[in-house]
Amino acid sequence: MNTTGSHRPKKRLGQNFLRDRAVLDKIVAAAELTPEDQVLEIGPGRGALTEVLAPHTTMLVAVEIDRGLQNHLMPLSNAHPHLDIRFQDFMKTEWAELGFVAERPVKVVANIPYYITTPILLKLLQAVRLEKEALSTVPPLAERILLMVQWEVAKRLTASPGNKDYGSLSIIAQYAAEVSIVTKVPAGAFYPRPEVDSAVVMLKPRTVAPVAIDDAAKLFRVVRGVFQQRRKTLQNGLLAAGFERPRLEAAVAATGLDLGRRAETLSLAEFAALANTL
Ligand code: SAM
Protein backbone atom coordinates (compact mmCIF):
# COMPACT_ATOMS: atom_id res chain seq x y z
CA MET A 1 0.00 0.00 0.00
CA ASN A 2 1.17 3.49 -0.79
CA THR A 3 1.85 5.34 2.44
CA THR A 4 2.92 8.77 1.16
CA GLY A 5 1.15 11.95 2.27
CA SER A 6 -0.23 12.97 5.61
CA HIS A 7 -3.86 12.00 5.07
CA ARG A 8 -5.68 10.98 8.25
CA PRO A 9 -8.58 8.50 7.96
CA LYS A 10 -11.98 10.21 8.06
CA LYS A 11 -14.55 8.30 10.04
CA ARG A 12 -17.47 10.21 8.54
CA LEU A 13 -16.47 8.94 5.06
CA GLY A 14 -16.24 5.34 6.25
CA GLN A 15 -12.47 5.23 5.76
CA ASN A 16 -11.29 1.84 7.00
CA PHE A 17 -8.42 0.88 4.76
CA LEU A 18 -7.73 -2.76 3.95
CA ARG A 19 -4.30 -3.87 4.98
CA ASP A 20 -4.50 -7.66 4.67
CA ARG A 21 -2.95 -8.81 1.42
CA ALA A 22 -4.59 -12.25 1.61
CA VAL A 23 -8.05 -10.63 1.70
CA LEU A 24 -7.16 -8.35 -1.22
CA ASP A 25 -6.02 -11.37 -3.25
CA LYS A 26 -9.25 -13.25 -2.43
CA ILE A 27 -11.36 -10.34 -3.67
CA VAL A 28 -9.45 -10.09 -6.92
CA ALA A 29 -9.57 -13.89 -7.45
CA ALA A 30 -13.35 -13.91 -6.92
CA ALA A 31 -13.75 -11.22 -9.60
CA GLU A 32 -12.33 -13.67 -12.20
CA LEU A 33 -11.18 -10.77 -14.33
CA THR A 34 -10.50 -11.14 -18.04
CA PRO A 35 -8.94 -8.54 -20.37
CA GLU A 36 -12.46 -7.89 -21.73
CA ASP A 37 -13.76 -6.68 -18.36
CA GLN A 38 -14.26 -3.03 -17.53
CA VAL A 39 -13.92 -2.56 -13.78
CA LEU A 40 -15.44 -0.02 -11.40
CA GLU A 41 -14.00 0.51 -7.95
CA ILE A 42 -16.00 2.69 -5.55
CA GLY A 43 -13.91 4.38 -2.87
CA PRO A 44 -10.30 3.46 -3.74
CA GLY A 45 -9.11 5.20 -0.59
CA ARG A 46 -5.32 4.93 -0.35
CA GLY A 47 -5.31 2.49 -3.24
CA ALA A 48 -4.80 -0.84 -1.46
CA LEU A 49 -7.32 -2.69 -3.63
CA THR A 50 -6.68 -0.51 -6.69
CA GLU A 51 -3.02 -1.47 -6.67
CA VAL A 52 -3.85 -5.20 -6.67
CA LEU A 53 -6.64 -4.81 -9.23
CA ALA A 54 -4.76 -2.65 -11.72
CA PRO A 55 -2.44 -5.35 -13.18
CA HIS A 56 -5.47 -7.61 -13.81
CA THR A 57 -7.48 -4.99 -15.71
CA THR A 58 -7.42 -3.16 -19.01
CA MET A 59 -9.92 -0.51 -17.94
CA LEU A 60 -10.34 0.50 -14.31
CA VAL A 61 -12.44 3.46 -13.20
CA ALA A 62 -12.17 4.41 -9.53
CA VAL A 63 -14.54 6.93 -7.94
CA GLU A 64 -13.32 8.53 -4.71
CA ILE A 65 -15.08 11.36 -2.87
CA ASP A 66 -12.07 12.51 -0.84
CA ARG A 67 -9.61 14.73 -2.74
CA GLY A 68 -7.35 14.54 0.29
CA LEU A 69 -6.34 11.08 -1.01
CA GLN A 70 -4.84 12.49 -4.21
CA ASN A 71 -1.26 12.07 -2.98
CA HIS A 72 -1.90 8.38 -2.45
CA LEU A 73 -3.76 7.75 -5.69
CA MET A 74 -1.88 9.88 -8.23
CA PRO A 75 1.29 7.71 -8.24
CA LEU A 76 -0.94 4.71 -9.00
CA SER A 77 -2.64 6.46 -11.85
CA ASN A 78 0.78 7.49 -13.24
CA ALA A 79 1.95 3.88 -13.06
CA HIS A 80 -1.21 2.50 -14.73
CA PRO A 81 -2.40 4.53 -17.72
CA HIS A 82 -5.64 2.51 -17.93
CA LEU A 83 -6.61 3.62 -14.41
CA ASP A 84 -9.06 6.52 -14.46
CA ILE A 85 -9.54 8.11 -11.03
CA ARG A 86 -12.50 10.42 -10.55
CA PHE A 87 -12.76 12.56 -7.46
CA GLN A 88 -16.52 12.73 -7.01
CA ASP A 89 -19.40 11.35 -4.99
CA PHE A 90 -20.46 7.96 -6.34
CA MET A 91 -24.03 8.56 -5.18
CA LYS A 92 -24.18 11.63 -7.43
CA THR A 93 -22.46 9.92 -10.36
CA GLU A 94 -24.52 8.93 -13.39
CA TRP A 95 -23.58 5.50 -14.73
CA ALA A 96 -23.19 6.92 -18.25
CA GLU A 97 -20.48 9.30 -16.99
CA LEU A 98 -18.21 6.38 -16.18
CA GLY A 99 -17.47 5.80 -19.85
CA PHE A 100 -18.02 2.04 -20.03
CA VAL A 101 -18.74 0.65 -23.50
CA ALA A 102 -21.89 -1.43 -23.85
CA GLU A 103 -20.20 -4.27 -25.72
CA ARG A 104 -17.90 -5.31 -22.88
CA PRO A 105 -18.79 -6.67 -19.44
CA VAL A 106 -18.54 -4.49 -16.35
CA LYS A 107 -17.50 -5.78 -12.93
CA VAL A 108 -17.71 -3.79 -9.73
CA VAL A 109 -15.04 -4.59 -7.15
CA ALA A 110 -15.03 -2.41 -4.05
CA ASN A 111 -14.45 -2.05 -0.35
CA ILE A 112 -17.28 0.41 0.11
CA PRO A 113 -17.95 2.93 2.89
CA TYR A 114 -20.42 1.38 5.32
CA TYR A 115 -22.45 4.54 5.94
CA ILE A 116 -23.92 4.16 2.42
CA THR A 117 -23.84 0.39 1.89
CA THR A 118 -27.55 0.01 1.17
CA PRO A 119 -27.85 3.04 -1.16
CA ILE A 120 -24.79 1.83 -3.13
CA LEU A 121 -26.23 -1.68 -3.37
CA LEU A 122 -29.65 -0.47 -4.47
CA LYS A 123 -28.05 1.84 -7.02
CA LEU A 124 -25.88 -0.95 -8.47
CA LEU A 125 -28.89 -3.31 -8.59
CA GLN A 126 -31.08 -0.57 -10.15
CA ALA A 127 -33.75 -1.18 -7.53
CA VAL A 128 -35.70 1.93 -8.50
CA ARG A 129 -36.07 0.71 -12.10
CA LEU A 130 -36.79 -2.86 -11.02
CA GLU A 131 -39.68 -1.58 -8.98
CA LYS A 132 -41.27 -0.08 -12.10
CA GLU A 133 -40.23 -2.39 -14.91
CA ALA A 134 -40.10 -6.11 -15.62
CA LEU A 135 -36.67 -7.45 -14.64
CA SER A 136 -36.09 -8.94 -18.10
CA THR A 137 -36.33 -5.44 -19.64
CA VAL A 138 -33.69 -3.93 -17.32
CA PRO A 139 -30.19 -4.90 -18.49
CA PRO A 140 -27.82 -5.24 -15.51
CA LEU A 141 -25.25 -2.49 -15.05
CA ALA A 142 -22.64 -5.06 -14.11
CA GLU A 143 -22.23 -8.77 -14.64
CA ARG A 144 -20.66 -9.26 -11.24
CA ILE A 145 -20.55 -7.08 -8.12
CA LEU A 146 -18.07 -7.83 -5.36
CA LEU A 147 -18.47 -5.70 -2.28
CA MET A 148 -17.03 -5.59 1.21
CA VAL A 149 -19.94 -5.08 3.59
CA GLN A 150 -20.52 -5.39 7.32
CA TRP A 151 -20.99 -8.99 8.41
CA GLU A 152 -24.53 -8.16 9.56
CA VAL A 153 -25.41 -6.90 6.08
CA ALA A 154 -23.86 -9.98 4.44
CA LYS A 155 -26.09 -12.17 6.61
CA ARG A 156 -29.16 -10.12 5.68
CA LEU A 157 -28.34 -10.23 1.97
CA THR A 158 -28.01 -14.01 1.92
CA ALA A 159 -30.63 -14.97 4.54
CA SER A 160 -33.27 -17.62 3.80
CA PRO A 161 -36.90 -17.64 5.01
CA GLY A 162 -37.24 -18.44 8.70
CA ASN A 163 -33.89 -16.89 9.55
CA LYS A 164 -33.85 -13.88 11.89
CA ASP A 165 -31.76 -11.91 9.35
CA TYR A 166 -34.32 -12.44 6.58
CA GLY A 167 -36.09 -9.23 5.62
CA SER A 168 -36.89 -6.82 2.80
CA LEU A 169 -33.20 -6.34 1.88
CA SER A 170 -32.79 -10.14 1.50
CA ILE A 171 -35.81 -10.36 -0.76
CA ILE A 172 -35.05 -7.32 -2.92
CA ALA A 173 -31.38 -8.36 -3.35
CA GLN A 174 -32.24 -12.00 -4.07
CA TYR A 175 -34.94 -10.96 -6.55
CA ALA A 176 -32.42 -8.77 -8.38
CA ALA A 177 -29.33 -10.97 -8.12
CA GLU A 178 -27.79 -14.27 -7.12
CA VAL A 179 -26.09 -13.45 -3.84
CA SER A 180 -23.36 -15.34 -2.00
CA ILE A 181 -20.71 -14.73 0.65
CA VAL A 182 -17.15 -15.07 -0.66
CA THR A 183 -15.37 -14.79 2.68
CA LYS A 184 -15.76 -13.41 6.18
CA VAL A 185 -13.21 -10.69 7.01
CA PRO A 186 -12.15 -9.94 10.59
CA ALA A 187 -12.07 -6.33 11.83
CA GLY A 188 -8.28 -6.61 12.20
CA ALA A 189 -7.89 -6.68 8.40
CA PHE A 190 -8.53 -2.92 8.36
CA TYR A 191 -6.88 0.24 9.58
CA PRO A 192 -8.40 1.87 11.52
CA ARG A 193 -10.04 -1.22 12.89
CA PRO A 194 -13.86 -1.01 12.56
CA GLU A 195 -16.13 -2.09 15.41
CA VAL A 196 -17.60 -5.02 13.48
CA ASP A 197 -16.47 -7.88 11.28
CA SER A 198 -17.05 -7.70 7.55
CA ALA A 199 -17.57 -10.00 4.59
CA VAL A 200 -17.03 -9.92 0.87
CA VAL A 201 -20.27 -10.63 -0.94
CA MET A 202 -20.77 -11.45 -4.58
CA LEU A 203 -23.91 -10.40 -6.45
CA LYS A 204 -24.62 -11.58 -9.97
CA PRO A 205 -27.52 -9.45 -11.25
CA ARG A 206 -30.20 -11.52 -12.92
CA THR A 207 -31.41 -11.16 -16.51
CA VAL A 208 -34.45 -13.38 -15.89
CA ALA A 209 -36.72 -12.93 -12.86
CA PRO A 210 -36.44 -15.85 -10.42
CA VAL A 211 -40.22 -15.87 -9.92
CA ALA A 212 -43.14 -14.71 -12.07
CA ILE A 213 -44.20 -11.21 -11.01
CA ASP A 214 -47.10 -9.28 -12.55
CA ASP A 215 -46.34 -5.98 -10.86
CA ALA A 216 -42.95 -5.48 -9.23
CA ALA A 217 -44.09 -2.24 -7.56
CA LYS A 218 -46.72 -4.21 -5.68
CA LEU A 219 -44.23 -6.91 -4.68
CA PHE A 220 -41.87 -4.25 -3.26
CA ARG A 221 -44.79 -2.56 -1.46
CA VAL A 222 -45.95 -5.83 0.10
CA VAL A 223 -42.44 -6.81 1.19
CA ARG A 224 -41.54 -3.41 2.64
CA GLY A 225 -44.97 -3.13 4.27
CA VAL A 226 -44.95 -6.46 6.06
CA PHE A 227 -41.35 -6.24 7.24
CA GLN A 228 -42.03 -2.87 8.83
CA GLN A 229 -44.36 -4.88 11.05
CA ARG A 230 -42.00 -7.80 11.51
CA ARG A 231 -43.55 -9.08 14.72
CA LYS A 232 -47.11 -8.97 13.38
CA THR A 233 -48.89 -11.63 11.38
CA LEU A 234 -48.98 -11.16 7.62
CA GLN A 235 -52.62 -10.23 7.87
CA ASN A 236 -51.95 -7.38 10.31
CA GLY A 237 -48.87 -6.27 8.40
CA LEU A 238 -50.78 -6.12 5.13
CA LEU A 239 -53.69 -4.24 6.74
CA ALA A 240 -51.20 -1.74 8.19
CA ALA A 241 -49.62 -1.39 4.74
CA GLY A 242 -52.98 -0.30 3.37
CA PHE A 243 -54.31 -3.48 1.76
CA GLU A 244 -58.01 -3.89 2.52
CA ARG A 245 -59.59 -6.93 4.14
CA PRO A 246 -61.66 -8.11 1.09
CA ARG A 247 -58.47 -8.12 -1.02
CA LEU A 248 -56.69 -10.17 1.62
CA GLU A 249 -59.54 -12.67 1.65
CA ALA A 250 -59.38 -12.92 -2.15
CA ALA A 251 -55.62 -13.47 -1.96
CA VAL A 252 -56.03 -16.26 0.58
CA ALA A 253 -58.64 -17.90 -1.64
CA ALA A 254 -56.33 -17.70 -4.67
CA THR A 255 -53.05 -18.77 -3.05
CA GLY A 256 -54.04 -20.87 -0.06
CA LEU A 257 -51.53 -18.89 2.03
CA ASP A 258 -52.09 -18.72 5.75
CA LEU A 259 -52.06 -15.03 6.66
CA GLY A 260 -51.54 -15.96 10.30
CA ARG A 261 -47.89 -16.63 9.41
CA ARG A 262 -45.12 -14.14 10.07
CA ALA A 263 -43.56 -12.29 7.12
CA GLU A 264 -40.13 -13.77 7.83
CA THR A 265 -41.37 -17.30 7.01
CA LEU A 266 -42.43 -16.52 3.41
CA SER A 267 -40.23 -17.40 0.45
CA LEU A 268 -39.79 -15.05 -2.50
CA ALA A 269 -42.10 -17.31 -4.53
CA GLU A 270 -44.79 -17.02 -1.85
CA PHE A 271 -44.42 -13.23 -1.72
CA ALA A 272 -44.72 -13.17 -5.51
CA ALA A 273 -47.89 -15.28 -5.43
CA LEU A 274 -49.34 -13.04 -2.75
CA ALA A 275 -48.47 -9.80 -4.59
CA ASN A 276 -49.86 -11.20 -7.86
CA THR A 277 -53.25 -11.84 -6.29
CA LEU A 278 -53.60 -8.79 -4.04
N1 SAM B 1 -10.74 0.77 -1.09
C1 SAM B 1 -9.94 1.28 0.01
C2 SAM B 1 -9.37 0.13 0.80
O1 SAM B 1 -9.85 -0.98 0.61
O2 SAM B 1 -8.46 0.35 1.58
C3 SAM B 1 -10.75 2.21 0.89
C4 SAM B 1 -12.00 1.64 1.47
S1 SAM B 1 -12.84 2.69 2.62
C5 SAM B 1 -13.80 1.46 3.44
C6 SAM B 1 -14.12 3.50 1.68
C7 SAM B 1 -13.66 4.60 0.74
O3 SAM B 1 -14.81 5.17 0.11
C8 SAM B 1 -12.93 5.75 1.41
O4 SAM B 1 -11.75 6.05 0.72
C9 SAM B 1 -13.93 6.94 1.30
O5 SAM B 1 -13.31 8.20 1.22
C10 SAM B 1 -14.67 6.58 0.04
N2 SAM B 1 -16.02 7.17 -0.05
C11 SAM B 1 -16.86 7.49 0.98
N3 SAM B 1 -18.01 7.99 0.50
C12 SAM B 1 -17.91 7.97 -0.85
C13 SAM B 1 -18.78 8.36 -1.90
N4 SAM B 1 -20.00 8.87 -1.66
N5 SAM B 1 -18.35 8.24 -3.20
C14 SAM B 1 -17.11 7.73 -3.45
N6 SAM B 1 -16.25 7.34 -2.50
C15 SAM B 1 -16.63 7.45 -1.22
Side-chain angles (χ1 to χ4, degrees), residues 43-202:
R46 293 178 176 174
L49 180 57
T50 325
E51 196 170 18
V52 185
L53 274 173
H56 296 272
T57 55
T58 54
M59 179 181 182
L60 173 55
V61 180
V63 179
E64 171 56 60
I65 200 170
D66 184 3
R67 280 193 179 273
L69 290 161
Q70 246 164 348
N71 286 347
H72 290 271
L73 292 171
M74 282 314 154
L76 270 180
S77 111
N78 294 337
H80 301 282
H82 65 282
L83 168 60
D84 174 3
I85 300 176
R86 315 271 184 98
F87 286 98
Q88 60 196 64
D89 182 345
F90 177 69
M91 292 314 298
K92 294 187 184 147
T93 301
E94 293 290 333
W95 193 259
E97 281 174 55
L98 298 170
F100 294 127
V101 296
E103 297 73 34
R104 290 168 53 191
V106 174
K107 288 179 177 166
V108 180
V109 185
N111 171 17
I112 55 173
Y114 292 163
Y115 75 104
I116 44 171
T117 297
T118 307
I120 289 178
L121 255 170
L122 297 181
K123 178 168 172 149
L124 292 173
L125 292 176
Q126 304 182 91
V128 173
R129 271 191 77 183
L130 289 183
E131 204 163 325
K132 296 186 197 128
E133 297 170 48
L135 187 143
S136 57
T137 64
V138 181
L141 296 177
E143 165 180 292
R144 192 175 287 212
I145 302 170
L146 275 156
L147 298 179
M148 182 80 73
V149 299
Q150 285 153 281
W151 176 239
E152 289 308 312
V153 176
K155 285 196 294 185
R156 284 166 58 201
L157 287 171
T158 52
S160 313
N163 188 295
K164 69 173 171 47
D165 299 307
Y166 185 68
S168 51
L169 186 65
S170 327
I171 294 169
I172 293 168
Q174 292 169 26
Y175 169 66
E178 284 174 51
V179 195
S180 57
I181 294 180
V182 174
T183 185
K184 189 169 180 177
V185 181
F190 303 87
Y191 172 79
R193 192 188 161 99
E195 274 151 29
V196 291
D197 287 336
S198 298
V200 178
V201 291
M202 176 150 65

